[in-house]
């Protein structure tokens, strides 16, 4: 039988890094095929090559239903029947379901090119009904719809013009933001599609979904395919082993003398994806927070630092309670925070290195009624030297620095507060290797000076490198705490995949 | 070349010099008289005060379009109270300023508490205030101000009308607060990236709110200056001053430094004023001169500054260390909230790690980087 999708010898090399090495993949007709692997294993690179965002290295070939597919050509993929629903869904929030659908196929127009709205609405309802989804308000802005309905609209949009020959639907992490009930509904949609002969390539971190949904699974690890097998031949443990592999550990982090009572105490913390967390951190200790996206890892530090509001729970430093949703008060009680997504929450793009650095506390330079510029520049120069920030001057606009150097400025603006508690959210996200190591050394130094440090990171190697203790989160709660020699990348990855909200 | 000569950061000064030269030659008798000099200086004080009113909230990334209406409000209140001889003139003035401050506080409530875009909120407030102005003026008799009222601000001091000096004092105060105190720095931080500023401990809401109150009071002061200068009032006078004021601030933002600033605004204001004066001497009875000139000057100045910014980003790009492949960084969400952006310079360079969430008037210049 003709395979719906067949890829052979697919490699992709980014400067200094191989993202895919000689990967092959085949998806049978009416098959749900799961694609799994750690962050950075190459899953998303495959999707991006199929969708035409990236060009593959020469030598790769692919066929859809026996027709040769030009990899890296999005139009060709579309023409041959590949349809994509990316993780962020790609809908325009202000527009209705009708309008979002029309973005891909255009409107049916009548006299003088007026849009036949009633017909458009009927078509949209029909497209959603075909997926077994009823009762969606197709005229409401999609931003106002619940997540499962948004996902349905995105799928419907991917499949409109079904008759034109959609053959393979590629779903990238469709359940990352869906509550349990909605996941069930999404599965029904997928089963319906399968019944109609559509193949599905399903990318997910949730292994339970793989077992519930998929016929076959392809496992990627470190840019290579390590397995392509029928799901029924695997058990949960076996799949995790395939994903994680047996890496040799880099050894544990430096043994820092950690003593005394906890300085940071978190009790019963709820908010965002966090659903009840207790945590104690002692001075000089570096605690890592691990977990897949949606596990609570991404929200935990923001809740402590006042970035996002806590729904319940207390945070205390020493004996002082840290105010909720108030970064200024949190800073006053001894917290310094380096947020994730530097350009969104960290840097002030219109300002210089000096102004970005000193914004956390200007009072020390505000002497006798005015800011003492000279004194401010002196302090900035000291930080530039201490953190080896590469910049043309203290007055350079922050955006003229490289990502790593911008991040060092962010560290400077936190460290200059001499905090008791240092919270680092994805501290080395998107920066080069050299700067990463320098930032790791800064964390070591901060701990050496007695700061209680919490690092949330998707980079397990980073957690192994830095932490005395790693807290692995699953479904908003702490699943496991690793200490000392138990802090190994494969252990962390194993645990964060092991349990899931749908495992019960 | 453009950068070395400072055409980007000092374009208004060059323009000013050009006007002086050109109109000095063609119209030297009238253009270079002390009467003309005084006239231009005094005629533009009201616009100058209003421009400063616009500048204050703009520093925090907030537009205040109600300042024209607030100016009318102040005029109506002080004029109405001036007719009641029991109320001292100075007290009437203070009451007018307080009323404008309250109007600014209401705008602030909509912007901060109800999360209404400042452009919309202040546009709406402007109409509401105008309604109040019409209603009040209908009930009172439109009469000239008393001499004692005008004597506070009118009358010569060092050769020019007193209110010219008031503008200078106001400018110095605002310059000092914005450039030399933490409050000013925090305001610009809020304008640059509100979320980053908040996470760095800046009380962004409080700053936005207070800036709207201050802006209301300054706009009220513009009304007071008007009453000193003209001695009479008209309910429709305020909004007409809005555009020249806004133009001066935006043009001024491209001057001296890469963001809205007091002296840039003043320089832009008077450079434009001299140009208009020269043109009006050249084309007699030509009311089209002013809007045409202000419009064109604003477009060109901001376009030049944006163009400079684009060049800076392009130059900076090859030097920047490339991010790890596939990591993507966080640049995708650049261009985040805030009011409409005049020059979203950095966001025009996809893939660079330059920041894209520039607030209003983030006209980034590269002149500081000699590398």
């Amino acid at each position: 039988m003709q395979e719906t999708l067949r890829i052979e010898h697919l490699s992709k090399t980014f400067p200094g890094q191989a993202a895919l090495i000689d990967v092959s993949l085949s998806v049978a007709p009416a098959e749900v095929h799961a694609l799994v692997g750690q962050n950075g294993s190459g899953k998303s690179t495959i999707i991006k090559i199929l969708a035409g965002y990236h060009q593959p290295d020469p030598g790769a070939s692919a066929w859809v239903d026996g027709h040769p597919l030009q990899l890296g050509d999005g139009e060709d993929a579309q023409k041959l029947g590949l349809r994509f629903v990316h993780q962020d869904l790609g809908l325009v929030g202000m527009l209705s379901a009708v309008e979002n659908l029309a973005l891909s196929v255009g409107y049916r127009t009548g006299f003088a090119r007026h849009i036949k709205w009633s017909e458009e609405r009927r078509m949209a309802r029909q497209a959603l009904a075909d997926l077994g989804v009823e009762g969606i308000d197709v005229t409401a802005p999609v931003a106002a719809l619940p997540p499962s309905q948004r996902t349905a609209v995105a799928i419907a949009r991917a499949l409109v013009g079904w008759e034109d020959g959609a053959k393979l639907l590629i779903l990238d992490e469709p359940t990352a933001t869906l509550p349990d009930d909605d996941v069930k509904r999404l599965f029904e949609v997928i089963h319906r599609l399968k019944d109609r002969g559509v193949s599905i390539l399903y990318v997910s971190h949730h292994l339970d979904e793989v077992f519930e949904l998929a016929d076959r699974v392809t496992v990627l690890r470190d840019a290579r395919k390590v397995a392509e097998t029928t799901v029924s031949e695997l058990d949960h443990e076996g799949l995790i082993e395939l994903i994680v592999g047996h890496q040799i550990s880099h050894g544990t982090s430096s043994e820092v003398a950690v003593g005394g009572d906890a300085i940071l105490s978190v009790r019963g913390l709820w908010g965002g994806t966090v659903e009840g967390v207790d945590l104690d951190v002692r001075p000089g200790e570096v605690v890592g927070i691990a977990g897949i996206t949606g596990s609570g890892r991404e929200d935990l530090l923001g809740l402590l630092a006042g970035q996002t509001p806590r729904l319940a729970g207390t945070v205390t430093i020493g004996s002082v309670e840290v105010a909720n949703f108030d970064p200024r008060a949190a800073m006053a009680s001894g917290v310094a925070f380096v947020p994730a997504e530097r350009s969104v929450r960290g840097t002030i793009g219109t300002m210089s290195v000096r102004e970005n650095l000193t914004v956390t506390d200007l009072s020390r330079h505000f002497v006798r009624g005015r800011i003492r510029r000279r004194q401010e520049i002196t302090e900035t120069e000291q930080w530039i030297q201490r953190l080896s920030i590469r910049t043309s001057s203290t007055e350079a606009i922050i955006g003229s620095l490289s990502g790593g150097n911008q991040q060092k400025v962010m560290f400077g603006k936190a460290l200059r507060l001499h905090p008791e508690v240092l919270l680092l959210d994805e501290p080395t996200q998107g920066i080069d290797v050299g700067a990463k190591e320098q930032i790791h050394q800064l964390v070591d130094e901060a701990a050496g000076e007695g700061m209680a440090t919490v690092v949330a990171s998707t980079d397990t190697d980073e957690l192994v490198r830095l932490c005395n203790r790693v807290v692995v989160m699953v479904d908003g709660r702490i699943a496991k705490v690793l200490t000392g020699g138990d802090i190994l990348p494969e252990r962390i990855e194993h645990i964060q995949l092991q349990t899931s909200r749908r495992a019960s | 070349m453009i950068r070395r000569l400072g055409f980007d950061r000092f374009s208004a000064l060059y323009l000013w010099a050009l006007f002086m030269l050109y109109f000095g030659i063609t119209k030297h008798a009238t253009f270079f008289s002390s009467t003309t000099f005084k006239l231009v200086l005094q005629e533009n004080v009201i616009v100058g005060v209003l421009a400063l009113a616009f500048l204050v909230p703009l520093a925090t990334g907030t537009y205040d379009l109600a300042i024209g209406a607030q100016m009318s409000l102040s005029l109506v209140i002080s004029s109405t109270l001036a007719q009641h001889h029991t109320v001292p003139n100075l007290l009437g003035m203070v009451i007018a300023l307080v009323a404008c401050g309250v109007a600014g506080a209401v705008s602030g409530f909509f912007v901060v508490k109800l999360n209404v875009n400042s452009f919309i909120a202040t546009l709406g407030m402007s109409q509401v205030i105008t309604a109040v102005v019409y209603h009040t003026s209908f009930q009172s008799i439109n009469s000239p101000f008393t001499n004692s009222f005008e004597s506070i601000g009118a009358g010569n001091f060092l050769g020019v009308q007193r209110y010219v000096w008031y503008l200078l004092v106001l400018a110095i105060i605002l310059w000092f607060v914005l450039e030399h105190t933490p409050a000013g720095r925090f305001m610009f931080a809020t304008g640059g990236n509100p979320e980053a500023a908040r996470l760095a401990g800046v009380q962004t809401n409080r700053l936005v709110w207070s800036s709207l109150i201050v802006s209301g009071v300054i706009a009220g002061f513009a009304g007071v200056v008007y009453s000193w200068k003209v001695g009479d009032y008209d309910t429709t006078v305020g909004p007409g001053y809005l555009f020249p004021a806004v133009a001066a601030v935006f043009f001024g933002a491209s001057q001296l430094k890469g963001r809205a600033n007091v002296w840039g605004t003043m320089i832009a204001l008077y450079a434009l004023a001299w140009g208009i004066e020269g043109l009006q001497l050249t084309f007699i009875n030509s009311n089209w001169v002013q809007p045409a000139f202000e419009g064109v000057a604003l477009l060109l100045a901001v376009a030049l500054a944006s163009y400079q910014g684009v060049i800076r980003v392009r130059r900076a790009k090859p030097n920047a260390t490339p991010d790890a492949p596939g990591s993507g960084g966080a640049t995708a969400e650049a261009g985040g909230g805030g009011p409409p952006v005049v020059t979203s310079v950095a966001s025009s360079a996809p893939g660079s790690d330059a920041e894209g969430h520039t607030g209003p008037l983030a006209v980034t210049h590269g002149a500081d980087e000699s590398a």
Side-chain angles (χ1 to χ4, degrees):
Chain A
M1 193 164 57
Q2 195 79 266
E3 282 149 328
T4 303
L5 175 69
R6 176 165 195 84
I7 300 176
E8 282 176 0
H9 306 302
L10 177 60
S11 298
K12 173 68 189 173
T13 316
F14 291 108
Q17 187 186 331
L20 289 173
I21 303 166
D22 196 22
V23 170
S24 60
L25 177 73
S26 71
V27 181
E31 174 186 73
V32 178
H33 192 110
L35 184 60
V36 296
Q38 283 293 317
N39 285 332
S41 60
K43 302 185 304 272
S44 55
T45 310
I46 292 186
I47 307 291
K48 283 177 180 162
I49 288 173
L50 283 173
Y53 291 119
H54 288 322
Q55 294 298 321
D57 293 350
S61 41
W63 297 266
V64 176
D65 253 359
H67 302 285
L69 166 70
Q70 181 68 43
L71 282 171
D73 180 348
E75 268 179 47
D76 198 35
Q78 180 77 17
K79 206 172 68 195
L80 288 173
L82 268 47
R83 299 288 185 272
F84 298 85
V85 176
H86 295 289
Q87 198 173 347
D88 61 0
L89 303 183
L91 298 172
V92 182
M94 275 171 64
L95 300 183
S96 69
V98 173
E99 290 159 328
N100 269 289
L101 290 177
L103 286 179
S104 54
V105 285
Y107 289 106
R108 274 151 287 264
T109 53
F111 175 69
R113 297 193 62 76
H114 84 281
I115 298 169
K116 295 178 171 171
W117 281 112
S118 60
E119 193 171 329
E120 287 290 328
R121 284 193 289 275
R122 195 186 54 73
M123 304 282 287
R125 285 197 195 93
Q126 186 59 46
L128 288 162
D130 285 349
L131 297 173
V133 185
E134 311 266 351
I136 292 187
D137 181 355
V138 294
T139 56
V142 292
L145 299 176
S148 67
Q149 295 193 355
R150 278 205 295 272
T151 309
V153 173
I155 294 174
R157 190 177 73 170
L159 297 177
V160 276
W162 184 246
E163 309 77 40
D164 305 350
K167 297 198 176 68
L168 176 68
L169 179 65
I170 293 145
L171 294 170
D172 191 3
E173 299 269 6
T175 58
T177 56
L178 291 186
D180 295 8
D181 293 354
D182 291 351
V183 171
K184 297 222 166 58
R185 241 165 267 143
L186 175 69
F187 285 3
E188 285 164 20
V189 170
I190 291 174
H191 283 301
R192 205 175 301 255
L193 287 170
K194 193 181 151 183
D195 292 344
R196 282 164 38 183
V198 181
S199 305
I200 313 246
L201 186 61
Y202 190 89
V203 180
S204 182
H205 273 305
H206 293 285
L207 302 188
D208 301 285
E209 294 174 8
V210 172
F211 284 102
E212 188 171 342
L213 205 58
D215 304 302
R216 287 198 304 144
V217 59
T218 292
V219 184
L220 295 177
R221 187 171 70 226
D222 300 334
R224 292 173 196 276
K225 184 172 85 170
V226 293
E228 180 173 350
T229 175
T230 311
V231 171
S232 55
E233 289 173 9
L234 279 172
D235 61 3
H236 212 276
E237 282 300 308
L239 182 54
I240 289 176
E241 271 200 37
L242 283 173
I243 294 170
V244 173
H246 288 288
Q247 292 163 309
I248 288 122
S249 148
H250 308 290
T252 52
S253 62
S254 49
E255 291 293 320
V256 184
V258 177
D261 295 333
I263 178 84
L264 172 68
S265 274
V266 179
R267 290 290 172 272
L269 182 70
W270 284 70
T273 51
V274 175
E275 300 178 354
V277 162
D278 297 339
L279 186 69
D280 287 299
V281 187
R282 286 170 295 177
E285 194 179 22
V286 183
V287 174
I289 310 290
I292 59 175
T293 301
S295 65
R297 180 215 74 237
E298 70 271 39
D299 288 338
L300 185 64
L301 297 189
L303 292 168
L304 304 183
Q307 177 189 316
T308 44
R310 299 195 283 270
L311 299 177
T314 57
V315 179
T316 49
I317 291 181
S319 55
V320 186
E321 191 161 328
V322 178
N324 184 12
F325 196 39
D326 186 346
R328 184 185 169 84
M331 281 165 60
S333 24
V335 175
F337 179 42
V338 177
E341 293 187 84
R342 185 178 54 251
S343 62
V344 181
R345 302 197 188 87
T347 54
I348 298 162
T350 51
M351 293 186 131
S352 66
V353 171
R354 167 176 57 83
E355 290 169 315
N356 268 283
L357 186 90
T358 57
V359 70
T360 43
D361 178 18
L362 275 170
S363 62
R364 66 183 75 165
H365 300 306
F366 189 58
V367 184
R368 290 189 305 280
R370 63 177 292 183
I371 297 174
R372 302 289 148 179
R373 189 67 57 91
R374 187 90 24 97
Q375 195 181 320
E376 201 190 349
I377 290 173
T378 308
E379 194 206 342
T380 309
E381 281 167 347
Q382 283 166 0
W383 282 106
I384 288 175
Q385 194 162 21
R386 189 178 149 195
L387 308 181
S388 29
I389 298 168
R390 274 181 54 196
T391 173
S392 55
S393 82
T394 58
E395 305 310 303
I397 293 290
I398 186 89
S400 69
L401 275 61
S402 73
N405 283 299
Q406 289 182 31
Q407 188 69 353
K408 286 189 221 163
V409 176
M410 297 300 105
F411 261 73
K413 92 180 195 192
L415 292 174
R416 71 190 284 274
L417 297 170
H418 305 294
E420 291 180 276
V421 175
L422 182 61
L423 305 177
L424 309 172
D425 207 350
E426 299 287 356
T428 59
Q429 189 180 45
I431 67 178
D432 63 279
V433 183
K436 189 168 169 176
E437 183 47 35
Q438 284 177 320
I439 282 173
H440 287 168
Q441 280 166 15
L442 290 176
V443 177
D444 289 344
E445 283 168 30
E449 286 168 24
M451 290 178 205
T453 308
V454 187
V455 185
S457 179
T458 44
D459 181 345
T460 45
D461 291 332
E462 172 166 277
L463 295 176
V464 172
R465 157 78 179 76
L466 291 175
C467 302
N468 311 106
R469 183 152 58 102
V470 171
V471 170
V472 186
M473 297 194 64
V474 173
D475 298 342
R477 294 166 177 275
I478 294 175
K480 180 90 179 171
V481 179
L482 300 173
T483 51
D486 282 345
I487 307 179
L488 303 170
E490 60 269 25
R491 288 275 287 158
I492 296 171
E493 286 161 12
H494 194 279
I495 296 161
Q496 66 189 13
L497 288 172
Q498 196 170 37
T499 23
S500 158
R501 56 190 154 176
R502 284 172 294 280
S504 61
Chain B
M1 177 66 179
I2 288 177
R3 251 165 64 175
R4 186 151 311 159
L5 289 178
F7 278 140
D8 51 347
R9 310 208 311 167
F10 302 104
S11 55
L13 285 176
Y14 278 101
L15 204 63
W16 199 343
L18 191 74
F19 293 145
M20 287 299 184
L21 206 66
Y22 178 75
F23 294 119
I25 292 165
T26 57
K27 295 275 161 195
H28 65 274
T30 36
F31 196 70
F32 270 148
S33 69
S34 67
T35 325
T36 309
F37 182 78
K38 261 201 256 182
L39 191 77
V40 173
L41 205 56
Q42 287 166 193
E43 281 303 308
N44 288 282
V45 167
I46 297 169
V47 178
V49 173
L50 217 51
L52 293 176
F54 189 74
L55 172 65
V56 171
L58 190 69
T60 69
T62 309
Y63 288 94
D64 190 352
L65 299 180
I67 49 174
Q70 280 163 333
M71 176 179 158
S72 303
L73 179 68
S74 149
L75 265 174
V76 153
I77 291 175
S78 47
S79 140
T80 307
L81 289 176
Q83 288 154 38
H84 299 278
H85 295 287
T86 48
V87 182
N89 284 320
L90 199 61
L91 180 64
M93 234 177 70
V94 171
I95 291 173
L97 296 190
V98 169
C100 291
V102 170
V106 176
S107 298
F109 176 77
F110 280 94
V111 173
V112 172
K113 288 288 170 190
L114 303 181
N115 235 336
V116 180
N117 179 304
S118 64
F119 197 91
I120 308 294
T122 57
L123 197 63
M125 270 307 286
S126 150
Q127 286 303 87
V128 172
I129 295 168
T130 303
V132 173
V133 167
Y134 285 171
H135 188 73
T136 314
S137 67
F138 178 74
Q139 288 182 332
S140 66
I141 307 136
N142 186 347
S143 74
F145 290 97
T146 59
N147 287 336
S148 70
F149 182 80
E150 285 171 35
S151 71
I152 303 170
N156 276 331
F157 181 73
L158 296 178
V160 287
Q161 292 284 310
R162 232 170 239 159
Y163 47 72
V164 175
W165 299 106
Y166 292 163
L167 171 63
L168 184 66
V169 169
L170 182 65
I172 290 173
I173 293 172
L174 287 181
W175 160 75
F176 187 82
V177 172
L178 287 175
E179 305 294 338
H180 293 285
T181 69
R185 185 74 63 77
F186 292 151
M187 286 167 74
F188 283 117
T190 306
N193 184 347
E195 181 62 1
R198 190 178 73 84
L199 290 177
V202 176
Q203 289 171 304
T204 53
N205 280 344
R206 187 183 286 191
L207 282 175
V208 168
W209 205 329
S210 354
S211 75
L212 284 167
I213 295 173
V214 169
S215 141
V217 172
I218 298 175
F221 183 66
V224 170
V225 172
Y226 183 91
S227 64
W228 287 333
K229 188 165 161 300
V230 183
D232 200 344
Y233 86 98
D234 181 342
T235 50
T236 57
V237 78
Y241 284 98
L242 186 62
F243 184 85
V246 170
V249 173
F250 278 47
F251 188 3
S254 66
Q255 304 298 309
L256 307 183
K257 36 177 45 192
R259 60 190 182 210
N261 66 90
V262 170
W263 301 121
T265 301
M266 290 295 113
I267 289 169
L269 172 74
Y270 279 102
L272 292 178
W274 280 105
I276 290 164
E277 180 65 24
L279 286 170
Q280 277 172 341
L281 288 174
T282 312
F283 306 95
I284 308 294
N285 289 332
S286 46
N287 55 2
W288 56 268
V289 164
Q290 185 172 347
F293 188 73
E294 282 169 350
V296 171
L298 175 65
L299 289 172
L300 290 183
V302 177
L304 178 67
S306 307
Y307 179 66
Q308 290 292 320
V310 170
I311 288 179
R312 187 191 70 74
V313 170
R314 285 202 190 122
R315 278 199 194 130
K317 223 174 134 183
N319 300 333
T321 318
D323 285 347
S327 63
T331 48
E333 284 184 40
V341 176
V342 177
T343 53
S344 178
V345 166
S347 59
S348 64
S352 80
D353 211 284
E355 313 306 281
H357 47 68
T358 42
L361 295 170
V363 183
T364 34
H365 294 296
D368 286 331
E369 305 139 71
S370 46

